[in-house]
Structures are given as C-alpha cells and as structure tokens.
Amino acid sequence: MATLTNRRLHVELRDDLKKMITKGLGKVVNDATRKTFTANADGAILEFAHRQPDIGFWNGVKYYGSGKSSRIRVRRSPVPDVA
C-alpha cells in the first residue's frame, strides 16, 4: 500500500512542479532509500519528503548547488474526489 501511495505522490508532485516551473525542470526522482522526492529546477535542487505535514502544500528544501539552502512551500493542486 505504501508503494502505491508514494507513486501517487510522485505523480502529483511532478504535475504540480510542471505547472509552477515552465522551463528548466528536470526529472522528478523518487529516492525510496532516503524517503524523498528530488528534482532539479533551474540549477537548484528541490527536495521533498515522502511524508508531507500539510495536505494543501508541498513543503521542502531548495539547495543552490553545494551552498546554502532555503525552505520552500508550493501549493498543491486539489485532489479530485472519487465517488
């Protein structure tokens, strides 16, 4: 069950990042060992944990090369209700 959840989160994160970053978005990678999703965007590395504390936002860290980092927050697309 956890694998399906991580796959779904991976697809949702990739789609939301595509909407936010129109140019320069690299592949979104699911790193199961570290329990993170990682993407390259315009020379920065974006990292999001598998477990997200806020259902309305993607909370993560943005790394600039090998230097400083900063926290980032990206609004999540609403999940459609399946009835």
Side-chain angles (χ1 to χ4, degrees):
M1 185 70 177
T3 304
L4 293 175
T5 302
N6 287 343
R7 281 190 194 148
R8 182 172 158 209
L9 282 174
H10 182 235
V11 169
E12 289 177 8
L13 175 61
R14 184 190 67 215
D15 292 345
D16 284 344
L17 289 177
K18 280 184 182 177
K19 292 175 191 172
M20 185 186 84
I21 303 166
T22 56
K23 285 186 176 179
L25 176 64
K27 186 176 177 182
V28 178
V29 178
N30 180 2
D31 186 349
T33 305
R34 293 179 56 229
K35 298 182 181 177
T36 60
F37 301 109
T38 307
N40 190 329
D42 296 326
I45 298 170
L46 309 179
E47 190 173 86
F48 301 90
H50 279 182
R51 292 184 181 256
Q52 290 290 311
D54 187 350
I55 198 164
F57 292 89
W58 295 106
N59 294 288
V61 179
K62 184 176 188 178
Y63 297 96
Y64 300 92
S66 61
K68 62 183 181 177
S69 66
S70 62
R71 295 190 182 275
I72 56 171
R73 192 170 179 191
V74 178
R75 184 173 294 280
R76 290 180 75 169
S77 297
V79 178
D81 290 332
V82 178

